[in-house]
Amino acid sequence: MPSTLTTPTTTVGTDVWRPLEDTDHTAAVSVVLKLRGETCDVDCLYCFEKRKLAPGGAQITPAHIRRLGQIFGERPLAIELHGGEPLTVGKDAMAALLDELAAQPTVHRVHLQTNGVRLDGEWLDLFDAHYPGLHIGISMDGDEQGNSWRVGYDGTAIYPHIVSALNLLAERNRTCGIVTVVTPAVLGRAAEVIDHIADFDAVRAVHLLPAFDTTVTTRLQATGRRTSPSRRLQARAVGADGPAWAITPAQYAAFVLDATARWIDAGHFRRIKLDPAVATIRRLKGLDTAHCHFAAHKCSHVFTAYPDGRLGSCDELPWPQAHLLPLAAARSEADITEAQHANPQLTAGRELMTKCVSCPYRTVCGGGCTATRWRMLKATGSDDAYCDHRGRLTDGMAHLLAAPDHPAGAHCRRAHWRPVDPNVMDDVDAFLARWDDPAAPRTPARLLASDHGNINTAGLPGEHAADDLDPRHPQWREGVEDRVWPLVDTITRSWKAVTYDSCQGHAHTGTGLAPSPFRVGLLPRTRAEYATLAARLCHTLAAADGYLPATVTADAVRSDLTSAETGRRHPVLNLTLTPAPGSTWADYFTGLDQAVHTLTHVARHTPTATGCACALRPPRPTREAR
C-alpha cells in the first residue's frame, strides 16, 4: 500500500510570538497614531477607544512622527492614522502630518481609518496633494441594519454619511478598505451583508472584526452636563451579562465561514480581499501573512502613540496596562524592547502562547489575538472558547478550499485540519490516472515487512517510503498491512474511493521509535468527491460514536498531499484512530482491534451522503470537555 511520511509538524515558540529584537531591521513595525485620542464626531455604542478614556483634545504632531523615525532607525514603519476620528484634527494639521510622513524615508505605508462622516472632495484633494499613496479605510458594519450601533451623539444613524463617502470615493476613482464589526445585527445574514458591501465599487478589501465584548459591563459616562441620546442608548444596551452588541466566538466563526462561502460563490474574491479568510487560506497553503493574528509579529511589533506623548503596545490591549514609556523617553529601539520585557501585560501575552506549542492548529492559527485571549482569560478564567473558534475557522476554510461548491461542509464539526509534513507522493496526477485505468502499466513493487508489521520498501520500522499501489496492481493485497486491510478494502470497493496511504498502527516496542497510529488516507478525484467523502466520513464517525473503546478516538482529518512532480497540493482526507485523551499507547493498542472492527462494520453500511451528520447528531464532547 502506498505510504507517505506522516510525522506531525513541529515548530518552536517564536512561530507564534517573536520578540522585536529577534527580527532584523527589514521587518516592519506598525504604529497606530491616535491623532486626537478618543475625540470623535460620532458616538458608536461599542467604541472600545472611548472605554479606555484616552486623552482627547490634544493631537499628534509632526514632531511625534520625527521621533518615531529616530527611535526605529532603518526599520520600515507602517503608519495608521486613527482615533477617535482622525479627520477631527482639521485640514491644516492633517496636511502637516502627511508632509512629515512623506518626508520620512522609512515610512513605507500610511493608512487612514475614518468613519467617513467628514470625508469630502476637499479632503481627497488634500490627500492627493500631500500623500498620494494614502490608503483609506472606512468603518462600515455591512448594510443599514448592520450599522445600527454606529450613531451620532444625537442618536441618529450615520449610515447615510458612510454611503455618501463610499460613492464619492468611487466617483473620484479612489479605492478603500472596509472594517466591519460583526454584531448580532448581521448574524445569519452573511451572504446579504457581503453582497451589500461588494455593491460599492470603491471597496477592495473587507476586514471582519468580532464584537467579543461579553465582558463589557460598564456604561460610558456622559460627555457633559446632559446625557446625550447616544449615551442613553448605550446605557440601555449594557447589562450585567454584557452588552447587546456582543457576540460569541462560535457565532463569529459561523459568520466568517458563511461570508467566505458567499465571497467565493459570487466571485467577489476577484476584486475584494476578505479577512480573516485570506489570512487563514494563506496559512493553510503554507504562505506568510502580515495579519498579526496569524503571524509571529504580534504585540511586540505593534505600537500606539497618543497625543499626550504616551507610547504603548497594540491599541487593542487594555490601557494603562499596555503603556510602555513616554515617547520622549525613547532614544532607540533598545529602549523600546527593554520596556516591552518589563511590561507585565506583554509578559502575560507571551505566556498565553505557551498553550499554542502543542496545538495542532498552531501552523495556521498563529496564536490569534493576544488582547482578546487575555480579556477572555481574565473575565472567565479560560480562553478555550476563543481557541475553539480559531480551530473552527481553520477547519471550515480547509473545506472551502477543497470543495468551494459545497459550502455546507465548512460547518462540519468532525473533520479537522491537521498538518502532515511532509506528505508527498512522486506524481499524484499519474497515480490518479492509473487508479482508474485498467490498461495502465503497473510495474512490480518492492515490498518488505519489518518485525513490527511495517510494510515498505526497506522493511524497517519508522521507514515511510513505499511504492504507490492501486487495486488493479498484482501486489495490491500484499502491500496493505493486515489490520488496516478490511477498512481499505471497504473504502476502495464499497465507497469506490482512492486511498493513497494506510497504516495498521505500530507500537514499535523496543525500538526507541514513537508509536504510529492507525490511519487510512483518501485522495478525492474532484472537489465534488471531496465533499461527498467528507460527509460520508462524518456519518461514519457519527454512527460509530459510543461504540468504540473508550481508549480510542476516531477522527476525520483534512490535510494536503503534495505532488513531487508538479508541486501542487492536493486536498486529502484521513481517517485516523488515535489514543483518547488520558489514555496511554498501551491502552490504545489493547482496544485498537475492536475499534477497527467496529469502524469497518459501520463504514460498510454508511451510504453516500449529501451533507454531514453534525446537524442530525452533534459530536459528543470529549471526556476532557465533560
Side-chain angles (χ1 to χ4, degrees), residues 141-143 145-147 180-190 193 255:
D141 300 342
D143 56 9
Q145 179 181 338
N147 281 273
T180 294
V181 178
V182 180
T183 69
V186 298
L187 293 182
R189 303 189 303 112
V193 168
F255 181 88

Side-chain angles (χ1 to χ4, degrees), residues 547-549 590-599:
Y547 295 97
L548 297 178
T590 298
L592 184 57
D593 285 333
Q594 178 188 340
V596 173
H597 176 79
T598 299
L599 200 60

Side-chain angles (χ1 to χ4, degrees), residues 24-270:
D24 61 43
H25 274 71
T26 62
V29 295
S30 175
V31 183
V32 181
L33 300 181
K34 299 289 186 179
L35 296 191
R36 294 196 66 203
E38 67 176 26
T39 299
C40 190
D41 48 2
V42 301
D43 200 28
C44 301
L45 307 190
Y46 54 55
C47 180
F48 76 92
E49 194 64 41
K50 291 176 181 175
R51 292 201 298 267
K52 291 193 275 186
L53 299 178
Q59 59 191 47
I60 294 288
T61 68
H64 290 122
I65 294 172
R66 287 192 292 274
R67 188 66 175 164
L68 290 170
Q70 295 166 1
I71 293 169
F72 289 104
E74 297 179 358
R75 188 183 289 276
L77 301 178
I79 301 294
E80 182 163 347
L81 307 179
H82 209 279
E85 169 52 45
L87 299 189
T88 61
V89 300
K91 293 185 174 66
D92 290 343
M94 181 65 76
L97 291 171
L98 293 178
D99 287 343
E100 186 61 45
L101 289 167
Q104 293 293 325
T106 57
V107 172
H108 73 104
R109 183 179 186 275
V110 180
H111 177 94
L112 180 140
Q113 188 66 33
T114 174
N115 57 39
V117 170
R118 296 180 179 227
L119 195 65
D120 58 18
E122 290 184 4
W123 273 112
L124 294 181
D125 291 340
L126 184 150
F127 298 154
D128 289 340
H130 295 272
Y131 205 100
L134 180 70
H135 295 259
I136 297 175
I138 303 287
S139 300
M140 183 179 79
D141 300 342
D143 56 9
E144 185 171 10
Q145 179 181 338
N147 281 273
S148 57
W149 301 107
R150 300 183 59 76
V151 299
Y153 286 94
D154 60 0
T156 62
I158 67 169
Y159 175 74
H161 298 287
I162 303 172
V163 170
S164 296
L166 290 171
N167 289 336
L168 173 63
L169 289 171
E171 291 169 7
R172 297 285 293 267
N173 293 317
R174 295 291 296 257
T175 61
C176 70
I178 295 292
V179 171
T180 294
V181 178
V182 180
T183 69
V186 298
L187 293 182
R189 303 189 303 112
E192 180 181 345
V193 168
I194 290 299
D195 285 348
H196 181 81
I197 296 174
D199 281 343
F200 293 96
D201 293 337
V203 177
R204 292 294 181 272
V206 179
H207 192 172
L208 302 174
L209 293 180
F212 289 160
D213 287 343
T214 54
T215 59
V216 174
T217 57
T218 304
R219 305 166 184 175
L220 289 176
Q221 300 298 313
T223 55
R225 293 183 179 180
R226 292 185 177 182
T227 301
S228 66
S230 60
R231 294 299 165 93
R232 290 198 294 270
L233 289 172
Q234 210 243 19
R236 289 198 292 269
V238 177
D241 295 328
W245 64 76
I247 63 170
T248 66
Q251 289 172 324
Y252 175 68
F255 181 88
V256 171
L257 292 175
D258 286 341
T260 304
R262 180 58 183 172
W263 174 69
I264 295 170
D265 181 61
H268 298 322
F269 65 88
R270 296 184 178 91

